[in-house]
Amino acid sequence: MADVKKAERPLSPHLQIYRPQLTAITSILTRITGNALIVSAILVVWWLLAAATSAEYYALADAVLTSWFGDLVMTLSALGLWYHYLAGLRHLYFDAGRGLDLPTAEKLGWACLIGSVALTVLTLIIV
């Protein structure tokens, strides 16, 4: 067989020239927030189980959830919940065959990002 000459170039879009697209980033964020919500749900279940176990164990769990760390985790959970909800609505819209052109998909991506921040701030004000 003839010798095959190897190319001296990247095989796919290289990281140095590739610009991440908003639609890809929002898709990745949807998966990340879905998994993060599982972790925060486990934390809330731990708090509820501690309340059912004993007063001392509940005091420990409540101290964790009401500390600055617990406030940060719950705030980020609210942000993740709102983002995941809005992204799910966006995907339902996509499943209907609408909004699949690039300009509309990018506008919906920005709507998910901005809407989730706005709804999180509104949630923190109300709660």
Side-chain angles (χ1 to χ4, degrees):
M1 291 192 83
D3 289 334
V4 178
K5 192 174 186 180
K6 298 229 179 215
E8 298 279 334
R9 57 185 173 82
L11 298 177
S12 62
H14 198 265
L15 292 176
Q16 294 173 342
I17 61 170
Y18 181 74
R19 183 180 66 88
Q21 300 170 351
L22 180 65
T23 52
I25 291 170
T26 55
S27 178
I28 292 167
L29 278 176
T30 303
R31 289 167 174 79
I32 290 172
T33 55
N35 288 317
L37 287 173
I38 293 170
V39 174
S40 62
I42 290 171
L43 193 60
V44 170
V45 168
W46 172 61
W47 181 72
L48 291 171
L49 287 175
T53 303
S54 69
E56 295 82 19
Y57 194 52
Y58 174 73
L60 171 68
D62 193 52
V64 170
L65 277 177
T66 56
S67 68
W68 68 269
F69 179 73
D71 287 341
L72 178 67
V73 168
M74 289 298 126
T75 301
L76 291 175
S77 296
L79 178 64
L81 183 67
W82 281 119
Y83 178 81
H84 201 76
Y85 174 73
L86 292 175
L89 290 178
R90 186 184 80 164
H91 280 280
L92 282 175
Y93 189 66
F94 288 163
D95 289 343
R98 297 188 173 109
L100 296 175
D101 56 303
L102 191 55
T104 305
E106 285 190 356
K107 286 176 188 172
L108 289 172
W110 281 112
C112 285
L113 291 169
I114 295 168
S116 62
V117 171
L119 288 169
T120 302
V121 170
L122 186 64
T123 301
L124 292 175
I125 290 171
I126 291 173
V127 174

